[in-house]
Amino acid sequence: MAEAALAIEGLVTGYDRRDVLTGISLDLPDGALVTVVGPNGHGKTTLLRAISGLLPTRRGSIRLFGKKLAGLAPHQVAAAGIVHVPQGDLLFPQMSVHENLLMGAYLENNQAVIRRRLEEVEALLPKLAERRDQLASSLSGGERRMVGIGRGLMMGGQVMLIDEPSLGLAPIIIEQVYEVIARLKASGRTILLVEENPARVADLADAIHLLDNGRIVWSGPPHDLLERDELLETYLGG
Protein backbone atom coordinates (compact mmCIF):
# COMPACT_ATOMS: atom_id res chain seq x y z
CA MET A 1 0.00 0.00 0.00
CA ALA A 2 1.26 3.49 -0.87
CA GLU A 3 2.48 5.75 1.88
CA ALA A 4 -0.14 8.15 3.24
CA ALA A 5 0.65 11.56 1.80
CA LEU A 6 -2.05 13.09 4.00
CA ALA A 7 -3.19 11.47 7.26
CA ILE A 8 -6.12 12.91 9.23
CA GLU A 9 -7.01 11.46 12.62
CA GLY A 10 -9.95 12.44 14.83
CA LEU A 11 -10.28 15.93 13.34
CA VAL A 12 -12.67 18.26 15.13
CA THR A 13 -13.18 21.81 13.85
CA GLY A 14 -15.91 24.33 13.10
CA TYR A 15 -16.96 27.96 13.20
CA ASP A 16 -17.30 30.13 16.31
CA ARG A 17 -18.44 27.76 19.07
CA ARG A 18 -20.07 25.18 16.80
CA ASP A 19 -18.26 22.02 15.77
CA VAL A 20 -18.93 21.08 12.14
CA LEU A 21 -16.51 18.16 11.87
CA THR A 22 -16.79 15.91 14.92
CA GLY A 23 -14.09 13.28 14.43
CA ILE A 24 -12.90 12.85 10.84
CA SER A 25 -10.24 10.23 10.09
CA LEU A 26 -9.00 9.40 6.60
CA ASP A 27 -5.78 8.67 4.73
CA LEU A 28 -4.85 9.95 1.28
CA PRO A 29 -2.22 7.61 -0.23
CA ASP A 30 0.60 9.13 -2.23
CA GLY A 31 -0.40 9.33 -5.91
CA ALA A 32 -4.07 8.54 -5.24
CA LEU A 33 -7.26 10.44 -5.96
CA VAL A 34 -9.68 10.20 -3.04
CA THR A 35 -13.12 11.77 -3.10
CA VAL A 36 -15.34 13.07 -0.29
CA VAL A 37 -19.06 13.23 -1.08
CA GLY A 38 -22.06 14.18 1.01
CA PRO A 39 -25.04 16.51 1.34
CA ASN A 40 -24.61 20.27 1.15
CA GLY A 41 -23.72 21.94 4.42
CA HIS A 42 -22.43 18.81 6.16
CA GLY A 43 -18.73 19.62 6.29
CA LYS A 44 -17.03 18.85 2.96
CA THR A 45 -15.67 22.36 2.36
CA THR A 46 -14.97 22.72 6.09
CA LEU A 47 -12.67 19.69 5.84
CA LEU A 48 -10.58 21.28 3.08
CA ARG A 49 -10.46 24.60 4.93
CA ALA A 50 -9.18 22.84 8.03
CA ILE A 51 -6.47 20.98 6.11
CA SER A 52 -5.25 24.21 4.49
CA GLY A 53 -5.13 26.07 7.81
CA LEU A 54 -8.09 28.37 7.23
CA LEU A 55 -9.84 26.84 10.24
CA PRO A 56 -8.20 25.77 13.52
CA THR A 57 -7.84 22.12 14.49
CA ARG A 58 -9.66 21.93 17.79
CA ARG A 59 -8.83 18.27 18.34
CA GLY A 60 -7.10 15.57 16.32
CA SER A 61 -4.21 15.73 13.89
CA ILE A 62 -3.41 16.49 10.24
CA ARG A 63 -0.06 15.29 8.87
CA LEU A 64 1.55 15.69 5.46
CA PHE A 65 4.11 12.90 4.96
CA GLY A 66 4.37 12.75 8.74
CA LYS A 67 4.77 16.50 9.24
CA LYS A 68 2.24 18.10 11.57
CA LEU A 69 0.07 20.74 9.85
CA ALA A 70 -2.39 21.56 12.62
CA GLY A 71 -1.53 24.93 14.13
CA LEU A 72 0.28 26.26 11.07
CA ALA A 73 -0.89 29.46 9.35
CA PRO A 74 -2.37 29.06 5.85
CA HIS A 75 0.78 30.34 4.12
CA GLN A 76 2.86 27.86 6.11
CA VAL A 77 0.56 24.99 5.10
CA ALA A 78 0.90 26.08 1.47
CA ALA A 79 4.68 26.24 1.80
CA ALA A 80 4.64 22.72 3.29
CA GLY A 81 3.01 21.40 0.11
CA ILE A 82 -0.78 21.72 0.32
CA VAL A 83 -2.46 23.26 -2.75
CA HIS A 84 -6.08 24.38 -2.20
CA VAL A 85 -8.26 25.01 -5.27
CA PRO A 86 -11.35 26.55 -3.65
CA GLN A 87 -14.98 26.31 -4.59
CA GLY A 88 -15.81 29.06 -7.08
CA ASP A 89 -12.13 29.62 -7.99
CA LEU A 90 -11.81 33.12 -6.41
CA LEU A 91 -9.85 34.56 -9.32
CA PHE A 92 -8.65 38.14 -9.55
CA PRO A 93 -11.17 39.39 -12.16
CA GLN A 94 -9.22 42.43 -13.39
CA MET A 95 -6.01 40.48 -13.85
CA SER A 96 -5.17 38.54 -16.98
CA VAL A 97 -5.07 34.75 -17.12
CA HIS A 98 -1.26 34.96 -17.09
CA GLU A 99 -1.23 37.22 -14.03
CA ASN A 100 -3.67 34.96 -12.19
CA LEU A 101 -1.44 31.98 -12.87
CA LEU A 102 1.62 33.83 -11.61
CA MET A 103 -0.22 34.60 -8.36
CA GLY A 104 -0.17 30.87 -7.67
CA ALA A 105 3.64 30.99 -7.53
CA TYR A 106 3.83 33.75 -4.93
CA LEU A 107 5.89 31.57 -2.56
CA GLU A 108 8.49 30.76 -5.22
CA ASN A 109 11.39 33.15 -5.86
CA ASN A 110 13.26 31.13 -8.47
CA GLN A 111 12.23 32.52 -11.87
CA ALA A 112 13.44 29.41 -13.69
CA VAL A 113 11.13 27.26 -11.55
CA ILE A 114 8.21 29.63 -12.20
CA ARG A 115 8.81 29.51 -15.97
CA ARG A 116 8.98 25.73 -15.89
CA ARG A 117 5.74 25.46 -13.94
CA LEU A 118 4.05 27.88 -16.33
CA GLU A 119 5.14 25.81 -19.32
CA GLU A 120 3.81 22.66 -17.63
CA VAL A 121 0.46 24.29 -16.83
CA GLU A 122 0.01 25.64 -20.36
CA ALA A 123 0.92 22.23 -21.79
CA LEU A 124 -1.69 20.57 -19.58
CA LEU A 125 -4.27 23.32 -20.16
CA PRO A 126 -3.55 24.69 -23.66
CA LYS A 127 -6.62 26.92 -23.63
CA LEU A 128 -4.95 28.99 -20.91
CA ALA A 129 -2.08 29.73 -23.28
CA GLU A 130 -4.64 30.89 -25.86
CA ARG A 131 -6.33 33.12 -23.25
CA ARG A 132 -3.03 34.29 -21.74
CA ASP A 133 -3.70 38.04 -22.03
CA GLN A 134 -7.48 37.89 -21.51
CA LEU A 135 -8.99 39.31 -18.31
CA ALA A 136 -10.31 36.66 -15.92
CA SER A 137 -13.62 38.54 -15.73
CA SER A 138 -14.25 37.83 -19.42
CA LEU A 139 -13.81 34.05 -19.21
CA SER A 140 -16.52 31.43 -19.30
CA GLY A 141 -17.29 29.42 -16.18
CA GLY A 142 -15.35 26.43 -17.45
CA GLU A 143 -12.35 28.58 -18.38
CA ARG A 144 -12.34 30.17 -14.92
CA ARG A 145 -12.32 26.71 -13.37
CA MET A 146 -9.32 25.81 -15.54
CA VAL A 147 -7.48 28.95 -14.40
CA GLY A 148 -8.22 28.04 -10.78
CA ILE A 149 -6.72 24.60 -11.27
CA GLY A 150 -3.77 26.07 -13.19
CA ARG A 151 -3.09 28.62 -10.46
CA GLY A 152 -3.05 25.77 -7.95
CA LEU A 153 -0.56 23.85 -10.08
CA MET A 154 1.69 26.92 -10.16
CA MET A 155 2.22 26.47 -6.42
CA GLY A 156 3.98 23.17 -6.99
CA GLY A 157 3.02 21.34 -3.83
CA GLN A 158 2.56 17.68 -2.98
CA VAL A 159 -1.20 17.37 -2.38
CA MET A 160 -4.05 19.13 -4.20
CA LEU A 161 -7.36 19.87 -2.50
CA ILE A 162 -10.03 20.52 -5.15
CA ASP A 163 -13.42 21.72 -3.93
CA GLU A 164 -16.46 20.91 -6.11
CA PRO A 165 -14.94 21.62 -9.54
CA SER A 166 -18.26 20.89 -11.27
CA LEU A 167 -20.29 23.42 -9.27
CA GLY A 168 -22.50 25.59 -11.49
CA LEU A 169 -21.15 24.28 -14.80
CA ALA A 170 -23.01 22.86 -17.80
CA PRO A 171 -22.66 19.07 -18.26
CA ILE A 172 -20.38 19.34 -21.29
CA ILE A 173 -18.06 21.70 -19.39
CA ILE A 174 -18.06 19.37 -16.39
CA GLU A 175 -16.79 16.61 -18.67
CA GLN A 176 -13.94 18.86 -19.82
CA VAL A 177 -13.00 19.75 -16.24
CA TYR A 178 -12.93 16.08 -15.24
CA GLU A 179 -10.79 15.25 -18.26
CA VAL A 180 -8.24 17.68 -16.82
CA ILE A 181 -8.50 16.09 -13.37
CA ALA A 182 -7.99 12.66 -14.94
CA ARG A 183 -4.81 13.97 -16.60
CA LEU A 184 -3.65 15.35 -13.26
CA LYS A 185 -4.09 11.95 -11.66
CA ALA A 186 -2.36 10.21 -14.57
CA SER A 187 0.61 12.54 -14.09
CA GLY A 188 1.03 11.26 -10.53
CA ARG A 189 -0.66 14.07 -8.61
CA THR A 190 -2.11 13.27 -5.19
CA ILE A 191 -5.63 14.71 -4.99
CA LEU A 192 -8.36 15.05 -2.37
CA LEU A 193 -11.50 15.98 -4.29
CA VAL A 194 -14.83 17.19 -2.94
CA GLU A 195 -17.83 16.35 -5.14
CA GLU A 196 -21.59 16.05 -4.72
CA ASN A 197 -22.21 13.42 -7.40
CA PRO A 198 -20.35 10.11 -6.81
CA ALA A 199 -21.12 8.97 -10.37
CA ARG A 200 -18.72 11.61 -11.70
CA VAL A 201 -15.76 9.97 -9.98
CA ALA A 202 -16.79 6.32 -10.37
CA ASP A 203 -14.01 5.52 -12.83
CA LEU A 204 -11.51 8.03 -11.45
CA ALA A 205 -11.34 7.86 -7.65
CA ASP A 206 -9.33 5.22 -5.82
CA ALA A 207 -11.61 5.52 -2.79
CA ILE A 208 -14.64 7.49 -1.73
CA HIS A 209 -15.77 8.71 1.70
CA LEU A 210 -19.39 9.62 2.42
CA LEU A 211 -19.59 12.48 4.92
CA ASP A 212 -22.75 13.35 6.82
CA ASN A 213 -23.22 15.67 9.80
CA GLY A 214 -19.49 16.06 10.27
CA ARG A 215 -18.65 12.35 10.30
CA ILE A 216 -17.65 9.78 7.71
CA VAL A 217 -20.50 7.27 7.58
CA TRP A 218 -19.19 5.03 4.80
CA SER A 219 -15.90 4.45 2.96
CA GLY A 220 -14.98 2.19 0.06
CA PRO A 221 -14.58 1.90 -3.72
CA PRO A 222 -16.78 4.30 -5.75
CA HIS A 223 -18.66 1.56 -7.60
CA ASP A 224 -19.60 -0.07 -4.27
CA LEU A 225 -21.29 3.15 -3.18
CA LEU A 226 -23.19 3.43 -6.45
CA GLU A 227 -24.62 -0.04 -5.87
CA ARG A 228 -25.94 0.85 -2.41
CA ASP A 229 -29.31 2.40 -3.20
CA GLU A 230 -30.25 2.84 0.45
CA LEU A 231 -27.12 4.90 1.19
CA LEU A 232 -27.59 7.01 -1.93
CA GLU A 233 -31.23 7.69 -1.11
CA THR A 234 -30.59 8.44 2.57
CA TYR A 235 -27.58 10.74 2.18
CA LEU A 236 -27.58 11.99 -1.40
CA GLY A 237 -31.24 11.92 -2.41
CA GLY A 238 -30.95 8.98 -4.81
Side-chain angles (χ1 to χ4, degrees), residues 5 17 25-26 32 76 90 125 133 139 146-147 152-154 175 205 233 237:
R17 297 182 179 180
S25 297
L26 64 85
Q76 294 172 316
L90 303 180
L125 302 166
D133 298 322
L139 300 176
M146 301 294 183
V147 176
L153 291 170
M154 288 293 295
E175 289 182 15
E233 182 64 35

Side-chain angles (χ1 to χ4, degrees), residues 108-122:
E108 180 57 63
N109 294 318
N110 188 318
Q111 292 302 308
V113 171
I114 293 173
R115 285 194 299 272
R116 188 187 72 244
R117 288 181 188 172
L118 188 60
E119 290 170 359
E120 291 171 351
V121 168
E122 291 184 342

Side-chain angles (χ1 to χ4, degrees), residues 210 218 224-238:
L210 176 57
W218 185 91
D224 284 7
L225 177 59
L226 293 177
E227 292 171 358
R228 295 173 179 258
D229 293 339
E230 184 177 345
L231 278 175
L232 294 174
E233 182 64 35
T234 300
Y235 296 107
L236 299 171

